[in-house]
């Protein structure tokens, strides 16, 4: 059986599988058994469970109030019901009735209102009259979140530890369990005959038959077998696995009941879809088992609109096309007819789903990504003081949940805060970064929220306010294994003993032998010398750990006197042996400095003097910033639109002074540019050399959802939002853990991938603009400056715009001899399978790995072949339309890149075979150009299909619907799999942007 083909369950065994006319052999192989231990999604022995709490909110209130289990109870929110327990449902109640109707149906019912935050209070509580005060109370679901965490902890405690344990929290009251690995260990323990190697060391050999002919399913609700199956048939190993899985789930449910008093229902089957349907099949407090041979019988009685992804517009489309909601009716329709009526991809997907096919993985994701606290006001609020009172409640609400996330222990903390304000039909948003160096508490959250509200109020038209919400996001893990400085210090007797020992060692080691020379490592030449490495930009550092493993010694920072090569005293003789021939003596620090490094050394003294002059006791004159002249132009193909600057000055007024202290959004100290689709503020101002830095400016719409694997679109949003690019962005790409180390078969089978950098996001199409002070200030009153556009390297698989650091050295070099210098632009583009290789539809130079480079016919049918290259092209077009705002001359653009960046430069030069007119640049410098052509369309197609297989998908349409974590993990696995020095991705000819490889053009 080919491993690429899905396993088909046999309804009746062939004669060759029987043993002497008696019991038949198993239809499963030793390979399937091995896949079970790896929790493979394609394993036919796989067992998945779905645990669903019965009327969870109602149960929480029953346990809190300690009422009898047969007492009717419903959870009330204002005048409606949000949860009804099963005794109350026996009276004909549902969640669509109000409290008055509920009391008529069941006079004895207990109606418990949810907990609320009362305006002015600092903690949520249960208020008896909350339903009558909707205007001054806010619903709190914290009691249910706390109970949900207890239940999840109980489940994990009952199951064995990872890697046997795989738990996915699907919602506040439901959990998926992948029991495959645990069942595998139990099988080997109960049935020793499975433990040895397969006969002839052939994994395709059939397993021996199970040593039992009858199974005890206890009290489980067992779904009847399909019509062609009978219970008289001997069980196979898939039935044994299901039986063990039901035992495990029964124990989990019993633990929850015993420890926390909650009842829950469960479904056990071979995939997530069937398990979820099974948990709702028999309620409450029961579990349903859907064996492999019973899937068709089980699904035949369902309406397909109950299946996930078929309950909305798609479900309505299928009902309209075939006039039925029943799965049973659709089973008789051929796949070709389904595809003809609702589309090829959707029809093929529907054909498989209604037959119980689902290869989605159980993801152990339990950590939250954001927190929101919101309130809709009826009637609207009309004053700043009212809004502040609600913000205080929001801050207390969010902080209490942050404490549970470990923010006080520095385990996790958010990086950004957002405020959303709705007035009439207009919604305005403000964002601020949360500084990591300051301890987070409720007062800090409230202060930041108050600042954001102040920005909204200053803009005007803030009242009446119909809705207000506060959220935090961008969570990142805190540092671990840190030690205080006290652990590095010694005191008292211990310190004196160490000093005495050191003195005796120095006396005994004093000899006349010369010290070995220590040579300074010289830097390699190349464009990297112009980039200043920023320690905070760490995404590329991990890839260099190999060079530091053996004998590597970092170069001394000769620009600082504290690290100078030449020393005084006893070490002078040995140090002078290393001195270059041409020297100069610095009078300021009394040290000899190599002549070749004189300029940099003097720059260091200048920076120190400048820093000293900025101390509080020194006079400081703010530097006035003058906005560039406006230019007509728009980032659209139709019609011009103004792209203007804005620093807050009205006509007839002077612009605000630019100070070096401010770098927060909304601070008038830094310049603001109105790009039409967004107002963007400079992130900071660098002194030496003097330039203004606009960081993470979007040049395209986020390539997510329906834009994933497609050509980029120019930004179309017309927002008054002010951003300063303080949150760094980089495209998802392969991390060094996989790239530098061997990828084991187990790692690939487990679909494991290294943890993502906190800045990795698919919304990565942004660029940095660094403009020297003189150039930015003068606007268009004089001749504008030339522009350098930098395209990073990384084998079309990894990298980002600032992987080599910033371009301070490059800007300094461009101003040698008194020249004004140049404007520097660095861009992000998708990498990996979004733009290069498989069929240039999964690869994109804006999204590395599977996100930017590679595509096969499977991709080309649904996507654009050169998404990554088109990201770069769109960025170049952005430069043409907007660079004048930064003092750059759009007719003087030079594109530079290395080495995959150099290959990108080559391909931009030859784009569309030169048939689409002039290019959006004047000069091009490809450095160490790396064009990695794909050998054939077959290779490109195979890469695409392999990527889809890792996602358990067959079409691009469904891959777009997945959360970002899924394609990111698949990209990590696939791009990490090639042999050393090999690359999965490259440049595929698509007949459009890349008609043939550049060498032939």
């Amino acid at each position: 059986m080919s491993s690429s083909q899905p396993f088909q369950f046999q309804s009746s065994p062939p004669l060759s599988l029987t043993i002497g006319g008696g019991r038949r052999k198993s239809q499963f192989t030793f390979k399937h058994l091995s896949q079970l231990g790896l929790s493979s999604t394609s394993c036919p022995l796989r067992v998945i469970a779905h645990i669903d709490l019965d009327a969870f909110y109602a149960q929480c209130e029953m346990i809190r109030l300690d009422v009898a289990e047969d007492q009717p109870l419903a959870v009330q929110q204002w005048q409606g019901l949000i949860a009804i327990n099963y005794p109350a449902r026996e009276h004909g109640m549902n969640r669509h009735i109000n409290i008055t109707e509920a009391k008529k149906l069941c006079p004895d019912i207990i109606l418990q209102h949810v907990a609320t935050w009362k305006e002015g209070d600092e903690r949520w509580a249960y208020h008896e009259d909350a339903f009558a005060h909707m205007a001054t109370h806010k619903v709190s679901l914290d009691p249910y979140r706390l109970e949900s965490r207890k239940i999840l902890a109980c489940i994990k405690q009952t199951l064995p530890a990872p890697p046997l344990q795989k738990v996915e929290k699907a919602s506040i009251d439901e959990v998926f369990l992948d029991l495959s690995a645990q069942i595998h260990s139990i099988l080997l323990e109960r049935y020793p005959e499975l433990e040895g190697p397969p006969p002839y060391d052939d994994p395709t050999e059939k397993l021996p038959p199970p040593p039992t002919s009858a199974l005890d399913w206890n009290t489980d609700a067992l779904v009847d077998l399909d019509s062609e199956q009978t219970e008289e048939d001997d069980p196979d190993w898939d039935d044994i696995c299901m039986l063990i899985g039901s035992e495990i789930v029964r124990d989990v449910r019993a633990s929850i009941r015993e420890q926390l008093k909650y009842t829950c229902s469960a479904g056990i089957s071979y995939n997530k879809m069937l398990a979820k349907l099974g948990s709702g099949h028999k309620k409450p407090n029961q579990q349903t088992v859907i064996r492999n041979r019973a899937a068709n019988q089980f699904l035949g009685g369902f309406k397909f609109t109950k299946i996930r992804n078929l309950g909305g517009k798609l479900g309505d489309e299928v009902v309209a096309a075939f006039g039925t909601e029943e799965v049973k009716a659709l089973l008789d329709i051929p796949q070709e007819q389904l595809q003809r009526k609702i589309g090829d991809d959707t029809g093929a997907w529907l054909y498989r789903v209604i037959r119980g096919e689902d290869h989605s993985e159980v993801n152990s994701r339990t950590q939250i990504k954001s927190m929101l606290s919101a309130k809709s006001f009826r009637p609207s609020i009309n004053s700043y003081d009212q809004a502040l009172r609600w913000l205080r409640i929001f801050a207390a609400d969010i902080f209490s949940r942050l404490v549970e996330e470990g923010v006080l222990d520095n385990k996790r903390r958010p990086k950004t805060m957002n405020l959303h304000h709705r007035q009439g039909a207009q919604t305005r948003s403000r964002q601020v970064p949360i500084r990591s160096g300051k301890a987070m508490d409720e007062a800090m959250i409230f202060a930041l929220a108050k600042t954001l509200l102040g920005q909204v109020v200053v803009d005007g038209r803030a009242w009446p306010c119909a809705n207000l919400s506060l959220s935090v996001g961008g969570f990142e893990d805190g540092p671990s294994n840190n030690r205080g400085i006290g652990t590095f210090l010694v005191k008292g007797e211990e310190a004196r003993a160490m000093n005495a020992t050191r003195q005796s060692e120095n006396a005994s080691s004093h000899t006349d032998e010369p010290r070995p020379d220590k040579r300074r490592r010289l830097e390699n030449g190349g464009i990297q010398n112009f980039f200043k490495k920023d320690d905070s930009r760490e995404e590329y550092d991990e890839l260099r750990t190999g060079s530091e493993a053996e004998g590597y010694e970092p170069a001394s920072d000769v620009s600082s006197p504290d690290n100078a090569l030449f020393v005084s005293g006893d070490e002078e003789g040995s140090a002078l042996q290393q001195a270059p021939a041409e020297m100069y003596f610095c009078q300021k620090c009394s040290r000899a400095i190599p002549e070749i490094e004189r300029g940099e050394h003097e720059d260091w003294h200048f920076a120190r003097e400048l820093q000293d002059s900025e101390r509080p006791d020194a006079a400081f004159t703010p530097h006035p910033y003058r906005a560039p002249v406006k230019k007509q132009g728009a980032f659209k193909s139709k019609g011009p639109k103004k792209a203007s600057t804005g620093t807050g000055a009205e006509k007839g007024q002077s612009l605000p002074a630019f100070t070096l202290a401010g770098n927060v959004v909304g601070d008038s100290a830094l310049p603001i540019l109105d790009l039409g689709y967004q107002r963007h503020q400079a992130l900071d101002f660098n002194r030496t050399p003097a330039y203004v830095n606009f960081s993470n400016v979007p040049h395209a719409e986020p390539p997510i959802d329906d834009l994933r694997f497609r050509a980029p679109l120019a930004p179309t949003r017309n927002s008054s939002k002010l951003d300063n690019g303080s949150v760094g962005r980089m495209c998802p790409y392969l991390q060094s853990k996989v790239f530098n180390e061997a990828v084991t078969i187990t790692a690939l089978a487990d679909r494991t991938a290294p943890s993502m950098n906190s800045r990795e996001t698919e919304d990565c199409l942004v660029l940095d603009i660094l403009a020297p002070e003189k150039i930015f200030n003068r606007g268009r009153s004089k001749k504008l400056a030339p522009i350098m556009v930098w395209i990073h390297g990384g084998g079309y698989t990894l990298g980002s715009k600032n992987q080599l650091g910033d371009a301070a050295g490059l800007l300094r070099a461009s101003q040698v001899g008194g020249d004004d210098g140049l404007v520097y632009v660095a861009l992000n583009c998708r990498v990996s399978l979004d733009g290069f290789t498989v069929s240039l539809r999964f690869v994109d130079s804006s999204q590395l790995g599977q996100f930017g480079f590679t595509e096969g016919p499977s991709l080309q049918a649904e996507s654009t072949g050169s998404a990554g290259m088109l990201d770069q092209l769109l960025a170049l077009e952005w430069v043409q339309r907007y660079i004048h705002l930064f003092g750059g001359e759009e007719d003087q653009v030079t594109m530079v890149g290395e080495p995959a960046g150099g290959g990108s430069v080559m391909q931009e030069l030859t784009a569309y075979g030169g048939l689409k007119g002039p290019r959006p640049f004047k000069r091009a410098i490809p450095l160490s150009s790396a064009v990695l052509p794909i050998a054939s369309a077959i290779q490109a197609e195979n890469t695409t299909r392999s990527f889809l297989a890792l996602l358990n998908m067959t079409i691009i349409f469904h891959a777009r619907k997945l959360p970002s974590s899924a394609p990111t993990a698949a990209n990590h696995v696939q791009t990490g799999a090639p042999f050393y020095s090999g690359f999965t991705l490259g440049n595929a000819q698509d007949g459009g942007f890349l008609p043939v490889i550049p060498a032939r053009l």
Side-chain angles (χ1 to χ4, degrees):
M1 181 183 301
S2 171
S3 60
S4 63
Q5 297 176 344
F7 183 85
Q8 300 294 330
F9 300 109
Q10 300 178 9
S11 58
S12 59
L15 293 178
S16 60
L17 293 184
T18 60
I19 305 175
R23 293 193 63 200
R24 62 184 176 90
K25 281 187 177 181
S26 171
Q27 60 176 317
F28 303 103
T29 67
F30 280 88
K31 179 181 179 180
H32 296 144
L33 182 64
S34 176
Q35 289 177 330
L36 180 69
L38 298 173
S39 300
S40 171
T41 58
S42 60
C43 176
L45 297 173
R46 186 187 190 208
V47 178
I48 304 296
H50 180 262
I51 296 179
D52 188 10
L53 275 295
D54 299 321
F56 179 53
Y57 290 180
Q59 274 202 90
C60 289
E61 299 301 343
M62 291 175 67
I63 293 172
R64 185 181 67 86
L65 298 172
D66 195 22
V67 301
E69 292 189 352
D70 58 353
Q71 168 66 48
L73 180 145
V75 179
Q76 175 185 350
Q77 180 176 319
W78 314 132
Q79 298 296 319
L81 303 180
I82 61 172
I84 304 170
N85 71 358
Y86 285 89
R89 296 184 191 188
E90 295 175 359
H91 294 268
M93 294 187 192
N94 59 59
R95 286 184 294 178
H96 301 293
I97 65 175
N98 57 35
I99 58 175
T100 303
E101 295 169 328
K103 289 180 178 179
K104 287 181 180 179
L105 291 172
C106 181
D108 298 331
I109 191 171
I110 297 176
L111 297 176
Q112 175 60 55
H113 199 282
V114 296
T116 58
W117 292 85
K118 183 180 178 181
E119 185 178 5
D121 288 353
E122 296 184 357
R123 181 168 172 77
W124 57 266
Y126 285 93
H127 301 90
E128 293 183 1
D129 58 347
F131 66 93
H133 298 88
M134 184 176 176
T136 57
H137 284 246
K138 174 189 176 302
V139 169
S140 174
L141 299 180
D142 283 2
Y144 310 133
R145 293 191 187 101
L146 293 173
E147 293 301 299
S148 177
R149 289 189 177 94
K150 292 180 184 178
I151 294 169
L152 182 63
C154 179
I155 292 173
K156 291 184 174 182
Q157 184 179 0
T158 306
L159 296 172
L164 296 183
Q165 178 189 119
K166 291 193 72 173
V167 179
E168 175 185 334
K169 183 179 179 181
S171 71
I172 195 171
D173 64 345
E174 55 183 334
V175 173
F176 282 107
L177 309 177
D178 189 338
L179 304 173
S180 303
Q182 184 179 355
I183 290 173
H184 178 264
S185 66
I186 295 174
L187 276 179
L188 299 184
E189 191 176 308
R190 291 187 184 179
Y191 305 98
E193 62 269 27
L194 300 179
E195 203 166 1
Y200 317 111
D201 288 329
D202 183 1
T204 62
E205 281 289 319
K206 302 293 184 181
L207 293 171
T212 181
S213 58
L215 303 178
D216 180 11
W217 295 98
N218 204 306
T219 57
D220 293 347
L222 196 64
V223 174
D224 293 336
L225 297 176
D226 296 343
S227 57
E228 66 272 13
Q229 304 285 334
T230 65
E231 293 290 357
E232 285 73 26
D233 292 336
D234 290 333
D236 207 339
W237 288 111
D238 58 337
D239 300 312
I240 303 295
C241 291
M242 287 290 174
L243 179 66
I244 297 174
S246 69
E247 296 171 359
I248 296 172
V249 173
R250 196 177 300 115
D251 290 342
V252 171
R253 292 174 52 234
S255 296
I256 297 173
R257 178 69 163 166
E258 178 181 350
Q259 298 179 32
L260 302 172
K261 300 182 181 180
Y262 290 95
T263 66
C264 50
S265 301
I268 302 105
S269 191
Y270 57 89
N271 61 42
K272 291 173 70 173
M273 179 186 73
L274 290 173
K276 181 171 175 60
L277 292 174
S279 65
H281 185 58
K282 295 285 186 179
K283 273 181 164 285
N285 200 25
Q286 298 186 62
Q287 64 185 47
T288 301
V289 179
I290 305 105
R291 290 168 288 176
N292 298 8
R293 296 180 289 157
N296 289 341
Q297 173 71 19
F298 178 68
L299 287 173
F302 274 91
K303 293 182 178 180
F304 60 77
T305 50
K306 299 292 183 182
I307 300 175
R308 186 183 179 186
N309 296 327
L310 281 172
K313 293 182 179 179
L314 179 57
D316 295 339
E317 181 183 346
V318 176
V319 171
F322 299 100
T324 182
E325 290 183 351
E326 303 295 330
V327 171
K328 194 172 184 179
L330 288 183
L331 288 173
D332 298 329
I333 300 177
Q335 180 174 341
E336 293 75 14
Q337 187 176 347
L338 291 174
Q339 291 176 302
R340 188 164 54 251
K341 289 199 172 185
I342 61 175
D344 290 344
D345 295 340
T346 306
W349 173 79
L350 178 62
Y351 182 84
R352 294 191 299 272
V353 165
I354 60 177
R355 285 163 174 77
E357 291 188 31
D358 174 27
H359 296 288
S360 56
E361 187 175 7
V362 173
N363 296 311
S364 300
R365 47 178 174 83
T366 57
Q367 290 186 328
I368 62 173
K369 297 181 179 179
S370 63
M371 291 180 181
L372 171 73
S373 189
K375 173 70 177 176
S376 293
F377 303 111
R378 303 190 186 112
S380 299
I381 59 175
N382 291 282
S383 72
Y384 179 74
D385 290 339
Q386 279 183 292
L388 277 187
R389 287 196 290 271
W390 283 108
L391 284 185
R392 192 175 294 280
I393 290 177
F394 294 168
D397 182 16
I398 289 176
F399 181 68
S400 66
R401 289 148 63 187
L402 287 173
V403 171
E404 297 168 11
E405 282 295 305
V407 68
L408 294 183
D409 300 324
N410 205 28
K411 293 179 181 178
R412 298 187 78 220
R413 63 179 287 148
K415 295 191 298 183
T416 58
M417 176 182 292
N418 291 272
L419 178 77
H420 297 276
H421 172 284
R422 180 158 57 86
Q423 191 263 337
Q426 182 181 16
T427 299
R428 284 176 285 181
S429 301
R430 295 293 182 270
Q431 182 184 80
V432 64
I434 300 174
R435 301 188 182 279
S436 58
K438 187 176 180 181
M440 179 170 287
D441 55 22
E442 185 177 328
M444 173 190 178
I445 297 174
F446 175 68
L448 290 175
K450 185 177 178 180
T451 300
L452 294 176
L453 178 63
Q455 294 178 12
V456 173
V457 173
V458 167
D459 286 346
R461 301 184 307 279
W463 318 111
C465 173
N467 180 277
L468 198 62
S469 68
L470 187 69
S471 64
V472 294
F475 279 82
E476 62 181 358
D477 294 332
S480 59
N481 301 323
N482 278 5
R483 296 186 294 169
I485 192 171
T487 61
F488 296 93
L489 304 177
V490 294
K491 303 176 182 178
E493 294 298 330
E494 185 180 0
R496 284 190 288 271
M498 291 181 62
N499 287 335
T501 303
R502 185 178 296 111
Q503 291 172 4
S504 62
E505 289 177 351
N506 291 340
S508 61
S509 62
H510 182 71
T511 65
D512 294 331
E513 295 180 5
R515 296 176 59 185
D517 292 346
K518 181 178 178 181
R519 293 176 298 173
R520 174 176 174 267
R521 184 177 71 89
L522 298 178
E523 294 287 351
N524 293 331
I527 196 169
Q528 292 92 336
N529 292 343
F530 292 108
F531 291 86
K532 178 182 68 177
K533 187 64 179 179
D534 188 342
D535 293 336
S536 65
R537 294 167 178 169
E538 60 193 13
E539 63 266 26
Y540 202 67
D541 288 353
E542 293 179 357
L543 299 181
R544 303 179 60 184
T545 56
S547 64
E548 300 177 3
E550 295 181 9
Y552 175 82
E553 178 182 328
S556 301
D557 184 3
V558 296
S559 63
S560 169
D562 295 333
N563 293 322
L565 285 175
F566 306 98
V567 297
S568 60
D570 295 337
E571 296 180 0
E572 183 177 358
S574 60
L576 289 175
Q577 296 175 9
Q578 306 169 30
E582 297 183 7
M583 309 292 298
Y584 97 102
F585 187 80
C586 178
Q587 298 291 340
K588 295 180 179 179
C589 60
S590 299
R591 294 179 184 271
I593 302 297
E595 181 65 33
I596 193 172
E597 294 163 359
R598 178 174 181 173
E600 188 173 2
H601 183 77
E602 291 177 345
D603 284 346
W604 183 87
H605 279 296
F606 175 78
R608 285 295 301 268
E609 293 167 359
L610 195 61
Q611 180 180 348
D612 293 340
S613 69
E614 292 172 2
R615 292 174 181 171
D617 56 348
F620 172 68
T621 303
H623 181 85
Y625 238 103
R626 181 173 56 185
V629 178
K630 298 179 181 179
K631 174 187 175 182
Q632 296 290 336
F635 203 17
K636 294 183 179 179
S637 57
K638 297 181 180 179
K641 179 182 177 182
K642 286 188 177 182
S644 63
T645 65
T647 57
E650 299 293 333
K651 183 177 180 180
Q653 296 178 341
S654 61
L655 291 172
F658 173 79
T659 66
L660 302 181
N663 65 344
V664 296
V665 173
D667 191 336
S668 61
L670 291 170
I672 300 171
L673 296 182
D674 187 354
L675 301 174
Y677 62 90
Q678 183 186 70
R679 293 168 64 232
H680 205 92
Q681 185 178 39
L683 180 61
D684 54 38
F685 176 79
N686 189 77
R687 285 188 174 276
T688 309
Y691 66 84
V692 62
N693 173 22
F694 286 82
S695 185
N696 298 305
V697 180
H699 65 82
E701 283 290 288
I704 58 177
D705 299 328
D706 287 339
L707 292 182
R708 184 183 286 163
F709 310 131
R710 293 189 190 274
L713 297 179
T716 57
R717 48 188 179 273
N718 183 14
S719 173
S720 60
K721 173 183 175 183
L722 181 63
D723 193 3
N724 71 344
S726 59
V727 179
R729 298 189 215 169
M730 53 190 290
C731 300
Y733 67 76
L734 183 65
Q735 300 293 303
S736 60
K737 179 179 178 181
V738 174
F739 195 76
N740 285 342
E741 300 175 8
V743 179
T744 64
I745 298 300
T746 301
L748 292 176
D750 285 344
R751 305 290 193 266
T752 58
S755 58
M756 291 178 62
N757 187 295
S758 60
R759 285 165 291 172
E760 285 188 62
T761 172
E762 285 190 83
D763 183 9
C764 61
L765 300 187
V766 295
L767 40 77
D768 294 344
I769 305 100
L770 277 61
E773 178 189 21
K774 293 181 181 178
I775 294 173
F776 186 87
N777 272 347
R778 70 190 181 199
R780 297 191 65 90
S781 59
K782 296 181 180 180
K783 182 180 179 181
L784 297 182
I787 303 140
M788 171 181 164
V789 176
W790 169 256
I791 301 179
H792 65 78
Y796 306 108
T797 304
L798 71 166
S800 67
K801 57 183 167 54
N802 50 14
Q803 67 186 27
L804 296 178
D806 64 34
L810 181 65
L811 294 181
R812 183 186 297 112
S814 71
Q815 296 171 352
V816 171
D819 289 344
D820 290 338
L822 54 81
V823 177
Y824 172 83
V825 180
L827 61 91
N828 270 353
C829 62
R830 283 169 287 181
V831 294
S832 294
L833 259 185
D834 228 10
F836 293 79
T837 281
V838 186
S839 209
L840 270 188
R841 186 126 6 218
F842 268 106
V843 182
D844 190 335
S845 74
S846 311
Q847 288 179 320
L848 304 183
Q850 305 300 21
F851 292 93
F853 294 86
T854 296
E855 68 168 341
S858 298
L859 251 186
Q860 293 175 353
E862 267 289 318
S863 305
T864 300
S866 302
M869 299 304 307
L870 294 176
D871 288 345
Q872 298 171 0
L873 180 59
L874 191 62
L876 289 166
E877 293 172 352
W878 187 98
V879 169
Q880 291 294 308
R881 290 168 172 82
Y882 293 94
I883 202 63
H884 67 282
L885 299 176
F886 305 85
E889 176 58 64
E890 58 270 19
D891 295 330
Q892 296 294 327
V893 176
T894 300
M895 185 169 50
V896 185
E898 71 153 6
S904 296
V905 171
M906 294 289 294
Q907 292 168 88
E908 294 291 352
L909 282 167
T910 60
Y912 302 106
L915 301 178
K916 286 204 171 185
R919 313 303 299 142
F921 52 89
K922 187 172 185 179
R923 302 175 186 86
I925 305 176
L927 303 172
S928 303
S929 177
V931 178
L932 306 175
I934 299 306
S936 66
I938 296 176
Q939 180 185 349
E941 177 69 359
N942 288 342
T943 308
T944 307
R945 292 189 178 278
S946 297
F947 178 69
L948 289 173
L950 289 170
L951 295 172
N952 294 314
M953 298 288 175
T954 57
I955 55 175
I956 300 301
F957 173 82
H958 293 129
R960 290 198 179 97
K961 307 301 179 184
L962 294 173
S964 179
S965 58
T968 298
N971 173 52
H972 284 187
V973 172
Q974 186 167 18
T975 52
F979 56 86
Y980 180 75
S981 80
F983 290 90
T984 301
L985 310 175
N987 311 88
Q989 300 175 30
D990 61 352
F993 185 93
L994 188 65
V996 295
I997 61 174
R1000 295 183 180 177
L1001 294 171

